[in-house]
Amino acid sequence: MIDNTPHKEEFKIVLVGPENSGKSALLNAIFGRYISNVSEVGGTTKRPVKKFWGKLKYGKSKKEPKIANISFVDLGGLYVGEKKSPIMVGKILEETYKEMEKADVIIHVVDGEKGLSKSFEKLHHLLKYRYQKPIIVVINKCDLLDNDKRDYLKNHIEDRLENKVIFTSTITYEGITNLIDTIIKFLKK
Ligand SMILES: Nc1nc2c(ncn2[C@@H]2O[C@H](COP(=O)(O)OP(=O)(O)OP(=O)(O)O)[C@@H](O)[C@H]2O)c(=O)[nH]1
Ligand SMILES: [Mg+2]
């Protein structure tokens, strides 16, 4: 008998955000090893870095659970400013949209040191409404933030993006387990 029920075998989680926000460092923290190049210079990741993470049982049936392969995709940072040519932005933006289409969960990484720019606020809403995909908002580099700054960023960003935030640090590892748990919860939905 032919089984016509839709069966998804691959889940993709895509990291998107500005240059230098720590997307590659987060990928490495999630995997627990050095996979994607990290540096203090913006524009380090040029091409998407895709990496298989593991398998996940999902679906309603406990007897016959479905199995999905989970992969992460680390994208080149989107530069929003005057320093670089708009062509560079265009190429990475194009690639970003292509990856967004295939994503099951999007992780929007905000640089905790810089906060949320207007361009990324717009991009966030565009991604949410255009692709209708779950987006997890991460405020990275939280090791650099004092309590007042944390409170401000949490309130401001949750208000602007209408989404909960998770604080992470790839230095202290704060929030990494919470992030992984949240991803799994979204995938199992
Ligand atoms: N203090 C602090 N620094 C961090 C953290 N995460 C990343 N960094 C630093 O931020 C810089 C940029 O990190 P990357 O992971 O290369 O950033 P990216 O978003 O992948 O950058 P692009 O590939 O250029 O888009 C590096 O110097 C990292 O060491 C963090 O949680 N805390
Ligand atoms: Mg990178």
Side-chain angles (χ1 to χ4, degrees):
M1 203 169 78
I2 299 165
D3 181 6
N4 283 326
T5 49
H7 185 81
K8 193 142 206 281
E9 288 159 340
E10 182 126 26
F11 284 153
K12 274 208 178 115
I13 300 126
V14 179
L15 290 137
V16 66
E19 279 186 350
N20 219 42
S21 51
K23 299 177 296 300
S24 302
L26 273 169
L27 181 90
N28 296 344
I30 289 165
F31 278 79
R33 62 201 156 97
Y34 200 86
I35 289 161
S36 192
N37 285 335
V38 172
S39 98
E40 64 278 8
V41 186
T44 302
T45 310
K46 307 271 184 237
R47 307 273 318 144
V49 175
K50 296 182 194 184
K51 188 79 187 162
F52 171 68
W53 192 47
K55 290 188 183 293
L56 179 77
K57 278 186 193 168
Y58 72 106
K60 294 212 165 60
S61 162
K62 284 223 168 86
K63 259 193 193 160
E64 291 172 58
K66 295 173 181 172
I67 309 285
N69 289 325
I70 308 179
S71 305
F72 278 78
V73 183
D74 173 26
L75 292 180
L78 295 167
Y79 181 81
V80 189
E82 311 105 316
K83 195 178 69 181
K84 286 196 185 151
S85 79
I87 296 157
M88 177 75 179
V89 175
K91 235 194 323 191
I92 291 189
L93 195 59
E94 241 171 65
E95 226 155 44
T96 298
Y97 285 136
K98 226 190 287 166
E99 292 299 332
M100 289 304 135
E101 270 168 35
K102 297 184 265 175
D104 295 280
V105 173
I106 295 164
I107 301 177
H108 175 179
V109 182
V110 177
D111 188 331
E113 250 195 321
K114 302 205 174 104
L116 176 73
S117 69
K118 271 268 170 237
S119 324
F120 273 91
E121 188 183 323
K122 278 190 201 144
L123 182 71
H124 183 95
H125 289 297
L126 182 74
L127 294 178
K128 187 148 59 182
Y129 297 113
R130 176 159 162 189
Y131 297 105
Q132 309 263 309
K133 299 210 170 150
I135 309 183
I136 299 170
V137 182
V138 156
I139 302 178
N140 192 39
K141 307 192 185 177
C142 72
D143 53 289
L144 302 175
L145 307 173
D146 61 25
N147 287 340
D148 286 350
K149 188 85 195 281
R150 272 187 192 230
D151 286 349
Y152 166 75
L153 284 174
K154 181 173 158 52
N155 293 334
H156 173 70
I157 295 175
E158 287 188 343
D159 182 46
R160 303 305 308 177
L161 301 186
E162 297 156 357
N163 212 332
K164 284 245 162 273
V165 298
I166 297 175
F167 283 102
T168 57
S169 166
T170 67
I171 307 287
T172 63
Y173 272 62
E174 180 184 335
I176 303 297
T177 308
N178 185 10
L179 174 60
I180 292 171
D181 289 347
T182 309
I183 294 167
I184 305 257
K185 209 168 69 197
F186 273 116
L187 291 177
K188 283 192 163 177
K189 259 187 194 165

